[in-house]
Amino acid sequence: MQTILRGPSTEVIISPETPIVMIGERINPTGRKAFSAELQNGDLSRIARDAQAQADAGALVLDVNVGAASVDEVALLPAAIQIVQDTVDLPICIDSANPAALEAGLKVVKGRALINSVNGETDKLAAVLPLAAEYDAALIALVMDDTGIPQTPGQRLEVAESILDAAQKHGIKPEDLLFDPLVMAVSADHKAGTVSIETARLIRATLGCNMTAGASNGSHGMPERELLNTVMLTLLGQVGVNAPICNPLKNGLAIHAINLLLGFDEWGMGYIQAYRALPKKD
Amino acid sequence: MQTILRGPSTEVIISPETPIVMIGERINPTGRKAFSAELQNGDLSRIARDAQAQADAGALVLDVNVGAASVDEVALLPAAIQIVQDTVDLPICIDSANPAALEAGLKVVKGRALINSVNGETDKLAAVLPLAAEYDAALIALVMDDTGIPQTPGQRLEVAESILDAAQKHGIKPEDLLFDPLVMAVSADHKAGTVSIETARLIRATLGCNMTAGASNGSHGMPERELLNTVMLTLLGQVGVNAPICNPLKNGLAIHAINLLLGFDEWGMGYIQAYRALPKKD
């Protein structure tokens, strides 16, 4: 099952038979005070730098989110997307909770985008599925619905199945959905990791779909988060999460290591090139 | 399926339902020139320090190998084992290619030891299986035989099955074998990781046995070996390699991270305590 994304002149394939694809998460004001303030002032100057740095670190898709408080996303999101695609030739993951902003982004994006995101909530399905269908975009689907985030992998699979049913009624195919099994913090629930992993395993086994995840959510509140994120990306990667959203500047080499040890990196050249491209420590 | 090892007054259980157990590999002259020279002079003074440091870093079993060139292992191995067990109350993994040295070690070890190792070679089976049976020891079994190391996971599983058959004729139970799926360097063969992982998956699914591995073999010849070792330990841990042999001083926190994200560490206390016990970086 191949999820195909396109940049201005590039194509990225996400599938069980090809290497894990890193979606760069940095163009997002969440937790970034300086970037939030800049966005509130209409200053988009950081975006080109962030785009280039993530591409250099191996991101193959870039998430673009400008959702800081009081920002007009409908105006700013398309502008940000254009800056990113003027800087790097990569597919865009258009990230907003506002359907009008998603549509504004879809109107300007070059190639085939990924929408971030839909979930099983009735309103969300009604607002976002028609956009994906109309603009021929792929779609991240979080396995939660009107009742919240299910506790068990079996319940999360049911939500995934109902989202898939709804999507197919809009002509959206299974290969155009990237399910997110939802990673919660192990500091709050020490079984949270296993629930995400088992959810991913069930989705891959039952629906065959490709998946994304915000693996770093698992390490909130813990020390040595980078190590935990490496382990979580590995555990999820092995059960089918083949397009994680992460910070390429921190997790890039880990993704290459996973691809190497999963047999996706002939001669290890991808890993070695990524290592050589790293800023030297000394 | 529970593999039970014992130290002088402690018990260690290796099973799919319990946390991954780290076997400390440091008491071994391979690649350690100073230690080799000391062993050749009959100087065992380093062993107590190495034992304590590995126990402090979370090792629950300690491998003991004194096989430097020209060393009389039959004399030295029992002495080394006694030093280790006088220092830390842990089960021993008695490591020698010399059956007479293994037997000398088994005669002095306190508790229930692990023998490192047998494999499917006719001579090896004939020499080592009777020792495990006579001294009631558990046994590491490498999935190779008189024809060498099989290339495919299916062939490696067949070797595992034939070792298990031979062991059972000596009254050795499946739970007393720790199979080693054999990790080879990905720098020499980029599919090496997947062969080991698939072998482990087959052994767990078919035989249900617990497993060990020298995960660090996979990273030979590559940069940033610690990252690769973390990823390999994670990939193997997820498919049933629950008693890896590794360097607790380098891989200890990674093992705790894997146990945390696999749901084996309530409140994350094992991980946090291991983090706090680390030498500070600044």
Side-chain angles (χ1 to χ4, degrees):
Chain A
M1 188 169 303
Q2 292 192 337
T3 305
I4 296 176
L5 305 177
R6 292 192 192 89
S9 68
T10 51
E11 182 170 276
V12 171
I13 294 176
I14 300 164
S15 84
E17 290 78 35
T18 46
I20 291 171
V21 167
M22 185 164 41
I23 303 176
E25 72 183 7
R26 290 288 287 161
I27 304 174
N28 189 324
T30 309
R32 299 181 80 189
K33 281 190 185 174
F35 187 36
S36 295
E38 288 165 10
L39 289 173
Q40 283 156 353
N41 294 323
D43 173 4
L44 302 181
S45 61
R46 185 187 298 263
I47 290 176
R49 292 198 304 276
D50 275 350
Q52 189 65 56
Q54 293 183 96
D56 291 346
L60 293 180
V61 180
L62 293 183
D63 190 88
V64 180
N65 181 318
V66 296
S70 81
V71 160
D72 177 4
E73 289 186 65
V74 177
L76 224 54
L77 190 54
I81 289 168
Q82 286 179 312
I83 292 170
V84 173
Q85 291 198 316
D86 285 347
T87 309
V88 294
D89 185 3
L90 293 179
I92 302 297
C93 176
I94 306 176
D95 186 357
S96 176
N98 177 351
L102 292 176
E103 181 158 22
L106 288 163
K107 282 182 174 165
V108 303
V109 74
K110 299 191 186 92
R112 183 163 205 249
L114 178 63
I115 294 173
N116 189 3
S117 60
V118 75
N119 61 44
E121 293 168 4
T122 312
D123 292 354
K124 203 75 167 175
L125 290 167
V128 179
L129 292 180
L131 291 177
E134 180 178 350
Y135 291 92
D136 184 34
L139 192 52
I140 291 176
L142 314 182
V143 293
M144 53 183 284
D145 63 12
D146 293 314
T147 65
I149 297 175
Q151 292 294 310
T152 71
Q155 292 165 331
R156 292 189 187 184
L157 174 65
E158 286 175 20
V159 173
E161 288 171 327
S162 76
I163 295 172
L164 180 57
D165 281 349
Q168 288 182 308
K169 287 178 185 140
H170 287 264
I172 298 166
K173 297 173 183 162
E175 56 263 40
D176 291 326
L177 289 175
L178 286 186
F179 284 105
D180 182 334
L182 296 178
V183 175
M184 315 304 286
V186 287
S187 56
D189 172 4
H190 79 283
K191 291 286 186 188
T194 58
V195 172
S196 306
I197 293 161
E198 186 55 23
T199 299
R201 197 193 310 271
L202 283 175
I203 288 175
R204 171 53 59 82
T206 309
L207 308 179
C209 288
N210 297 310
M211 281 174 277
T212 186
S216 62
N217 293 342
S219 64
H220 273 297
M222 280 289 174
E224 294 287 336
R225 293 191 59 188
E226 203 169 322
L227 171 64
L228 285 170
N229 294 345
T230 294
V231 171
M232 195 65 193
L233 286 164
T234 306
L235 293 168
L236 290 170
Q238 194 166 29
V239 295
V241 176
N242 49 0
I245 299 187
C246 61
N247 183 344
L249 284 71
K250 289 191 173 173
N251 308 125
L253 196 64
I255 297 288
H256 282 286
I258 298 166
N259 278 329
L260 173 59
L261 293 170
L262 289 180
F264 287 125
D265 186 0
E266 202 162 357
W267 305 113
M269 287 314 294
Y271 178 79
I272 290 170
Q273 285 170 3
Y275 167 74
R276 288 184 180 152
L278 288 179
K280 287 291 161 276
K281 285 173 185 172
D282 298 331
Chain B
M1 188 169 301
Q2 293 193 336
T3 305
I4 295 176
L5 305 177
R6 292 193 191 90
S9 69
T10 51
E11 183 170 276
V12 171
I13 294 177
I14 300 163
S15 85
E17 290 78 34
T18 46
I20 291 171
V21 167
M22 185 163 41
I23 303 176
E25 72 183 7
R26 290 288 288 160
I27 303 173
N28 189 323
T30 308
R32 299 182 79 189
K33 280 191 185 172
F35 187 35
S36 295
E38 287 165 9
L39 288 172
Q40 283 156 351
N41 294 323
D43 173 3
L44 302 182
S45 60
R46 185 186 297 264
I47 290 176
R49 291 198 305 277
D50 275 349
Q52 190 65 56
Q54 292 182 97
D56 291 346
L60 293 180
V61 179
L62 293 182
D63 190 89
V64 180
N65 181 317
V66 295
S70 81
V71 160
D72 177 4
E73 289 185 67
V74 177
L76 224 53
L77 190 54
I81 289 168
Q82 286 178 311
I83 291 171
V84 173
Q85 291 198 315
D86 286 347
T87 308
V88 294
D89 185 3
L90 294 179
I92 301 297
C93 176
I94 306 178
D95 185 359
S96 175
N98 177 351
L102 291 177
E103 180 157 23
L106 288 163
K107 283 183 174 166
V108 303
V109 74
K110 299 191 184 92
R112 183 161 205 252
L114 178 63
I115 294 173
N116 189 3
S117 59
V118 73
N119 61 43
E121 293 168 4
T122 312
D123 293 353
K124 203 76 167 175
L125 290 168
V128 178
L129 292 180
L131 290 177
E134 180 177 350
Y135 291 92
D136 183 34
L139 192 52
I140 290 176
L142 314 183
V143 292
M144 54 183 284
D145 63 13
D146 293 314
T147 66
I149 297 175
Q151 292 294 309
T152 70
Q155 291 165 333
R156 291 189 188 184
L157 174 65
E158 286 175 22
V159 174
E161 288 171 327
S162 77
I163 295 172
L164 179 56
D165 281 348
Q168 287 181 308
K169 287 180 184 139
H170 288 264
I172 298 166
K173 298 173 184 163
E175 57 263 39
D176 291 326
L177 290 174
L178 285 187
F179 283 106
D180 182 334
L182 296 177
V183 176
M184 315 304 286
V186 287
S187 57
D189 172 5
H190 79 284
K191 290 287 185 188
T194 59
V195 172
S196 305
I197 292 161
E198 186 56 22
T199 299
R201 197 194 312 271
L202 284 175
I203 288 174
R204 170 54 58 84
T206 309
L207 308 179
C209 288
N210 297 309
M211 282 174 277
T212 186
S216 62
N217 292 344
S219 64
H220 273 297
M222 281 287 173
E224 295 286 337
R225 292 190 61 188
E226 202 169 322
L227 171 64
L228 286 170
N229 294 344
T230 293
V231 171
M232 195 66 193
L233 285 164
T234 306
L235 292 168
L236 290 169
Q238 196 168 23
V239 296
V241 176
N242 49 0
I245 298 186
C246 61
N247 182 344
L249 285 70
K250 290 192 174 174
N251 308 125
L253 195 63
I255 297 288
H256 283 285
I258 298 166
N259 279 328
L260 173 59
L261 292 171
L262 289 180
F264 287 124
D265 186 358
E266 203 163 356
W267 306 113
M269 287 314 295
Y271 178 78
I272 290 169
Q273 285 169 3
Y275 167 72
R276 288 184 180 152
L278 288 179
K280 288 290 162 277
K281 285 174 183 171
D282 298 332

